[in-house]
Amino acid sequence: MQATSDQPPFVSLENYDNIDSIRSKFPPLANINIDHNFNNLKDCRFFIIRTQGEDNVHRAMKYGIWTSSSRKNERLDEAFKNKKEDVYLFFTEINSMCFSGMAKLTSEFNAKTHFKYWLIENKWFGTFQIQWLYVKDLPFKLFDEIKQIQKLEGSEETLKSVYDLIDCTELTVDNGIKMAKIFQAEKTNKSLFEEFPQLDKLEFESRQERTNNIRFEKKFQELSQVFETIPFSFSVASYERKKTNRKAQGPFYQSQYGQQYYYQQPYQQYYQQPFVGYQFQQTPQYWQFNNGFYQNQYQQNQYTNNNSNKQGFTKPQQSYEKYQHQQNNYSNQQQQSTTISQQTQQNTKQEGNQDVQSVPLESRFQINSQQLQKRGKFDKIRNKNNKDNVQYVEKNSTEAHVQKY
C-alpha cells in the first residue's frame, strides 16, 4: 500500500503560455506538439478515453498517470501485454465537444500504486504510466466522417461517430490511423492549458483537505487493501453494499449457504417417506402450532437434547406453550359456535314445518291479482293471407294453471 510520502508532489506554473516552460517543468509533457514519426501504425492499438471532467485529465497530464474502472483497466492492461507496437489513447471530456489530447501507454497496470487526488475521492485505484504526444483542443466536427459500429451487450449494433463511443472503446486500425493523422496535421492554439491555473487551485485545495483528513486516510487504506487483492474485479459500490448488509444483519450474521434453520420450510409435506429397501418407512411427525410449520419430532428431540443449556432455544419452547394455550382456547370457541349454529338451524326447520301445516289447502292455491297481471291479457290474431297483419284482442277470461301436488 502506498503512503502519503509516495504521492507525487504538487507542481505548477504561474503562467502556461510558454510551451517550452511546460515541456521542461512536466516530464510527461516533454515531447508534446512536435512532429512525431509514427511507424507501423497498422500494428498499433487505439482506444477512446472519456472522462467525467477536466480535473482528471489535468492530473494525468501533469503526473503522467491514468486509471479507470476495474474492467477497463483490465482491457488496457491486456492490450499493453499483448501488443505488437504502441498503444495510443485519445482523450475527451464529457460535454466538452472536442478531443483534448493524444497519449501513449508506456507501462502495464500497477495495482499497488495509487493516486489520492483524482476528482472523486476513493473511486479509482492503481495506475498506468503514459507519455503525452499532443495536447490540443480539436473540435468534433473534424472527426464527423470517422464512424464505427458499436455493439453493447443486450443491444443491437449501431453506427456511431468516434466521439460518441463509450469509454475505453477500442478503435479499428483504420479509424485509429485517421485520428492520429488529424492530431498530427491540425494546428491550433487552443488547449486545456488555458484552464490549468484554475485547475491547479482546485488540486491544491483537494490536497489540503485530504491530507489532513483522518477519515479519508482510513477509508483510502481500507479500500486500497481490498483493491490489491482483486484489482480487475473490484467495485467500491458493491463493496460498500455488502458491508452495509453485513452490518444490518448484526454480529450473528451468517451466509445464506450452509445456514442451519431451527424450523423447517412451511410447505413441506406432512410426513416424509424415505425409501428403505423395498419398503417405505414413515418417520414419526406431528403438527406443532408454531407459525404454521411442520416439524419433525426427531429433530425437536435432537435440538432440545443438544442445546438444553443454550439460551437461544428457550424462546421457541416458551412460544410453543403460549401458542398451544391459544390453540386450545380457539378450538373451544369454535366448538361452542358450531353447537349454537346447529341448534338455530333445527329451530328454524321446526318453525317452517309448523307454518306450512297451519295454512289451509285453499289458501295455498289462491292466485293473487299481481300474478294475474303478469299473465298475458291480450291474444294475438294473425291473418292467414298476410302474416304481418297482427291484431290484439282482449281476453274474456284469464286462466291460471294450478300445480297439483
Side-chain angles (χ1 to χ4, degrees):
M1 186 178 56
Q2 193 176 13
T4 307
S5 59
D6 298 332
Q7 297 291 314
F10 177 76
V11 183
S12 64
L13 291 173
E14 295 181 359
N15 190 358
Y16 290 89
D17 295 334
N18 190 357
I19 192 68
D20 293 331
S21 60
I22 294 173
R23 291 171 182 168
S24 60
K25 186 69 173 180
F26 305 101
L29 302 174
N31 298 320
I32 60 171
N33 299 342
I34 63 175
D35 293 333
H36 294 279
N37 295 323
F38 297 109
N39 297 322
N40 298 326
L41 287 177
K42 294 182 179 181
D43 295 331
C44 296
R45 301 181 70 173
F46 306 90
F47 290 88
I48 295 290
I49 303 297
R50 296 175 65 88
T51 64
Q52 293 184 355
E54 298 175 347
D55 300 75
N56 293 330
V57 181
H58 166 258
R59 274 71 153 176
M61 288 181 179
K62 289 173 63 175
Y63 307 111
I65 55 176
W66 183 249
T67 189
S68 185
S69 62
S70 297
R71 293 184 179 180
K72 296 170 185 177
N73 288 336
E74 184 180 10
R75 192 178 304 171
L76 294 176
D77 185 67
E78 183 271 333
F80 184 82
K81 290 180 179 178
N82 300 327
K83 67 175 183 176
K84 296 180 180 179
E85 292 293 334
D86 296 330
V87 179
Y88 295 104
L89 310 177
F90 298 102
F91 284 80
T92 180
E93 299 86 28
I94 298 174
N95 299 326
S96 65
M97 301 299 293
C98 66
F99 284 98
S100 57
M102 176 179 176
K104 181 174 68 174
L105 200 64
T106 59
S107 72
E108 62 184 19
F109 185 70
N110 187 357
K112 295 185 178 180
T113 303
H114 313 288
F115 184 67
K116 295 183 178 180
Y117 309 113
W118 296 112
L119 177 61
I120 301 175
E121 63 179 33
N122 293 330
K123 185 175 182 180
W124 300 289
F125 299 91
T127 53
F128 288 101
Q129 297 294 325
I130 58 176
Q131 189 72 26
W132 289 87
L133 305 178
Y134 296 101
V135 177
K136 56 178 73 174
D137 291 345
L138 299 181
F140 286 159
K141 63 181 181 180
L142 299 174
F143 305 91
D144 286 336
E145 297 180 357
I146 306 176
K147 299 182 181 296
Q148 181 169 322
I149 295 175
Q150 186 173 55
K151 178 175 175 55
L152 300 176
E153 295 181 0
S155 62
E156 298 179 355
E157 295 182 353
T158 55
L159 184 63
K160 294 184 178 181
S161 301
V162 289
Y163 49 78
D164 289 332
L165 298 175
I166 63 174
D167 183 25
C168 204
T169 300
E170 184 173 4
L171 299 173
T172 60
V173 177
D174 295 336
N175 291 338
I177 293 172
K178 291 178 183 179
M179 291 189 67
K181 289 183 178 180
I182 292 174
F183 269 98
Q184 189 177 16
E186 291 293 329
K187 294 182 179 179
T188 179
N189 294 327
K190 293 184 179 180
S191 65
L192 192 62
F193 292 139
E194 298 176 358
E195 305 293 334
F196 265 42
Q198 181 64 23
L199 295 173
D200 287 340
K201 181 180 179 181
L202 296 175
E203 181 192 355
F204 182 75
E205 292 176 356
S206 66
R207 280 177 176 263
Q208 286 185 337
E209 292 177 358
R210 296 179 187 180
T211 51
N212 298 327
N213 192 345
I214 300 174
R215 181 195 61 81
F216 167 78
E217 187 66 27
K218 182 178 179 180
K219 193 69 176 179
F220 179 80
Q221 292 178 3
E222 177 186 353
L223 295 175
S224 60
Q225 286 178 356
V226 179
F227 175 82
E228 291 175 3
T229 58
I230 46 173
F232 295 131
S233 61
F234 177 75
S235 173
V236 178
S238 62
Y239 173 77
E240 294 292 341
R241 195 181 303 114
K242 291 179 182 179
K243 188 176 178 181
T244 53
N245 290 337
R246 287 196 296 269
K247 288 182 179 179
Q249 295 294 336
F252 300 103
Y253 173 77
Q254 294 180 359
S255 61
Q256 59 180 347
Y257 301 104
Q259 187 176 2
Q260 298 295 330
Y261 293 97
Y262 182 73
Y263 301 107
Q264 296 180 1
Q265 296 297 328
Y267 300 105
Q268 191 175 358
Q269 295 180 356
Y270 181 73
Y271 60 90
Q272 298 177 354
Q273 294 182 347
F275 185 74
V276 180
Y278 293 95
Q279 297 177 355
F280 288 99
Q281 181 181 1
Q282 295 184 2
T283 58
Q285 295 191 2
Y286 64 95
W287 168 261
Q288 182 180 357
F289 189 75
N290 193 344
N291 295 330
F293 285 79
Y294 293 104
Q295 189 175 9
N296 193 344
Q297 185 178 6
Y298 172 75
Q299 291 181 355
Q300 187 195 13
N301 295 331
Q302 186 178 4
Y303 280 115
T304 53
N305 294 329
N306 295 333
N307 302 298
S308 60
N309 295 326
K310 295 183 180 180
Q311 298 179 358
F313 293 97
T314 57
K315 293 182 179 179
Q317 294 177 0
Q318 295 175 0
S319 61
Y320 170 69
E321 294 176 357
K322 179 181 177 180
Y323 288 121
Q324 189 175 13
H325 180 67
Q326 292 179 358
Q327 186 186 13
N328 295 329
N329 294 333
Y330 177 75
S331 60
N332 294 330
Q333 293 176 2
Q334 191 173 9
Q335 289 178 359
Q336 293 177 1
S337 62
T338 53
T339 53
I340 292 168
S341 62
Q342 291 177 359
Q343 291 178 359
T344 54
Q345 289 178 1
Q346 292 177 359
N347 294 329
T348 53
K349 287 181 180 179
Q350 292 177 0
E351 291 176 357
N353 294 328
Q354 292 176 1
D355 295 337
V356 172
Q357 293 177 1
S358 61
V359 177
L361 292 174
E362 295 178 356
S363 62
R364 292 189 201 177
F365 299 107
Q366 288 180 358
I367 301 172
N368 298 327
S369 60
Q370 294 179 357
Q371 294 178 355
L372 293 173
Q373 291 177 4
K374 289 181 181 179
R375 300 178 184 273
K377 295 182 180 180
F378 298 91
D379 288 337
K380 290 183 180 180
I381 299 176
R382 293 181 181 273
N383 191 356
K384 294 182 178 179
N385 297 326
N386 187 5
K387 294 182 179 180
D388 295 332
N389 187 6
V390 180
Q391 295 180 1
Y392 292 91
V393 179
E394 188 175 1
K395 291 183 179 181
N396 296 325
S397 62
T398 57
E399 296 179 358
H401 297 281
V402 178
Q403 186 177 2
K404 296 182 181 180
Y405 290 91

